Amino acid sequence: MTDAEKKRGGSDWFQRLLDGRWSHIAVPVFCVLLSLLVSGILLVVLGKDPFVGFYSFLQGSGLAPKGSYGGGAGIQSDFFTFLGYLAPMLLASLGFVVGFRAGLFNIGISGQMVASAFTATVLIGYSDLPAVLAKPLVVVVGVVVGALLGAFVGFLKYRFNVHEVVSTIMINYILNYVVGFLINLNYVNGLTRSSLPCSTDAALMIYNVQIGGVNCTIPLGVFLAVALAFFLDWLFKRTVVGFELKAVGQNPKAAKYAGINVGKRLIQAMALSGALAGLAGVAYYCGYYTTIVPKTLPQMGYDCIAVALLGNGNPIGSVFASILVSVFQNGSNFMSSTLGVQKEIASLIVGIMLLFSACGGYFKYLAHRRLQREEDAKLEAKAKTEAAAEATTGEGEK
């Protein structure tokens, strides 16, 4: 292969990073491969087999069989535990995607998760309502509380031009300490120092389901999360509301000039983002966990930002990104015990992946700069060729 062909091949690869038909796939795949490469080098430096390490993540998440299982456990129970973690991760990332599409950066997902879950737990989770009523009401309360918090942030943005990053960070602290105070005041478990557990009737789980002779707990939130991902994809692609939300996110001044009610769409976007965050909260604290640790915001509310960016800000892309990150998060304990390394190493690998996922925009910038330099070089070469041709023609005429 000649140098020119190599350069052309490289240009084709960079072009795919920028091409609208390929960038939503090429950039995330490149980020994942790069993070796996760096993580593999880290494991080799530690004297561990990277292939065994990555396979153990799959085993810990129920996507590959383990060598042995404890009594009553199996690959099925591990898989449904993984789905229980995946549900709030996907819902939280969808919440961020909605705001991101409208040009908003919702940092308040953690606070919205805690406030929604606490409200749903107190109102429904501690009641004597039967499961057929309690479970839907938990979802409704989570959606309403999250939507109200998100709409309030959107109103501050529209009415007083308070940047959503500043307001959501401040509100996170307020919600965190208010909820922590109320838990310690009336709802604390004296032994664990966390909140009293949500009742099994209100929890968004179906307990004690026998599948293949294994006792499993089926999370209900994962079905809702996947359905909402496809709904949001349809919303942004096929509806006027979705089009106007994207228009406001890309250029608010142009959207206003086109007759779009920018303030209304900003508030709607943040309300929808908060509603999804509220759903993530009840799926996490009234599903995967059944208690809330006072004065502790869920890390998932921040990890979901990198997950959404890894999914290229796309609802369907967020499904695959959430699956990938959840595999590494949920399987970290088993990977740690399998390789005999500290759990922090597994967390470091997850951090590397999240770091590279957040760099997708930078990789696009590098690709664009590379293509621009090549285009400038072509124009310069063409100009030199034309100048040489003109000079040769002039000499011939003389």
Side-chain angles (χ1 to χ4, degrees):
M1 181 181 291
T2 63
D3 292 340
E5 290 174 338
K6 290 180 180 179
K7 290 181 178 180
R8 186 167 59 253
S11 298
D12 292 341
W13 190 87
F14 280 104
Q15 186 64 50
R16 287 189 177 93
L17 282 179
L18 294 176
D19 194 330
R21 296 170 300 174
W22 292 96
S23 63
H24 64 287
I25 297 176
V27 173
V29 169
F30 178 71
C31 294
V32 170
L33 292 177
L34 192 58
S35 61
L36 292 178
L37 175 62
V38 175
S39 301
I41 294 174
L42 173 64
L43 292 176
V44 170
V45 171
L46 295 174
K48 307 298 181 180
D49 188 339
F51 296 101
V52 174
F54 293 139
Y55 188 69
S56 64
F57 280 114
L58 298 176
Q59 291 176 305
S61 297
L63 300 177
K66 297 177 182 177
S68 61
Y69 293 91
I75 189 172
Q76 301 97 317
S77 57
D78 286 346
F79 178 68
F80 283 110
T81 300
F82 160 72
L83 292 182
Y85 185 87
L86 172 65
M89 176 66 81
L90 177 54
L91 287 167
S93 63
L94 290 176
F96 182 81
V97 165
V98 170
F100 189 68
R101 283 292 189 93
L104 301 168
F105 215 81
N106 188 3
I107 304 293
I109 291 177
S110 288
Q112 293 155 12
M113 288 176 64
V114 169
S116 299
F118 175 74
T119 306
T121 300
V122 171
L123 295 180
I124 310 299
Y126 296 153
S127 69
D128 296 325
L129 292 173
V132 68
L133 292 177
K135 294 183 189 299
L137 285 176
V138 164
V139 172
V140 171
V141 172
V143 169
V144 171
V145 173
L148 289 175
L149 291 172
F152 177 64
V153 174
F155 174 75
L156 292 178
K157 171 77 172 182
Y158 165 66
R159 184 66 179 84
F160 303 105
N161 198 28
V162 179
H163 200 284
E164 69 278 2
V165 171
V166 176
S167 60
T168 49
I169 290 176
M170 296 299 102
I171 292 173
N172 270 354
Y173 280 102
I174 296 171
L175 295 175
N176 187 29
Y177 286 106
V178 168
V179 170
F181 170 77
L182 293 176
I183 289 175
N184 288 323
L185 185 65
N186 291 314
Y187 307 104
V188 68
N189 186 318
L191 183 62
T192 63
R193 304 308 302 173
S194 60
S195 67
L196 296 171
C198 176
S199 68
T200 56
D201 287 335
L204 299 181
M205 310 287 278
I206 301 178
Y207 296 95
N208 302 319
V209 178
Q210 292 292 323
I211 300 178
V214 177
N215 192 25
C216 301
T217 300
I218 301 177
L220 300 176
V222 69
F223 305 105
L224 183 61
V226 174
L228 285 172
F230 284 96
F231 169 75
L232 290 175
D233 186 65
W234 171 81
L235 178 74
F236 284 119
K237 290 181 178 179
R238 305 294 182 186
T239 67
V240 174
V241 174
F243 172 79
E244 291 188 354
L245 288 177
K246 290 188 294 183
V248 170
Q250 292 174 358
N251 194 323
K253 292 183 179 180
K256 185 177 181 179
Y257 183 78
I260 298 174
N261 190 331
V262 174
K264 176 182 176 181
R265 293 308 181 198
L266 286 176
I267 296 175
Q268 287 178 341
M270 282 304 301
L272 182 55
S273 177
L276 290 166
L279 275 177
V282 294
Y284 190 66
Y285 289 113
C286 301
Y288 186 73
Y289 293 112
T290 55
T291 62
I292 303 172
V293 179
K295 301 179 182 179
T296 303
L297 290 173
Q299 185 61 37
M300 182 180 288
Y302 300 103
D303 291 345
C304 70
I305 297 174
V307 171
L309 295 176
L310 179 61
N312 213 35
N314 182 279
I316 303 302
S318 295
V319 174
F320 296 101
S322 298
I323 291 173
L324 180 64
V325 174
S326 295
V327 165
F328 282 88
Q329 293 274 29
N330 193 67
S332 60
N333 285 330
F334 187 75
M335 178 268 187
S336 176
S337 61
T338 299
L339 292 187
V341 298
Q342 295 180 349
K343 185 182 177 181
E344 285 75 13
I345 298 299
S347 300
L348 178 60
I349 292 175
V350 175
I352 291 172
M353 177 167 292
L354 295 177
L355 174 63
F356 281 114
S357 68
C359 295
Y362 177 66
F363 294 140
K364 283 186 177 182
Y365 163 74
L366 291 179
H368 177 78
R369 191 173 66 174
R370 166 73 178 271
L371 291 175
Q372 189 63 48
R373 285 202 303 264
E374 292 183 358
E375 187 65 27
D376 292 341
K378 289 179 182 178
L379 293 175
E380 184 178 352
K382 182 179 179 180
K384 289 181 178 179
T385 302
E386 291 177 352
E390 291 178 358
T392 303
T393 302
E395 291 178 358
E397 292 177 352
K398 290 179 180 180

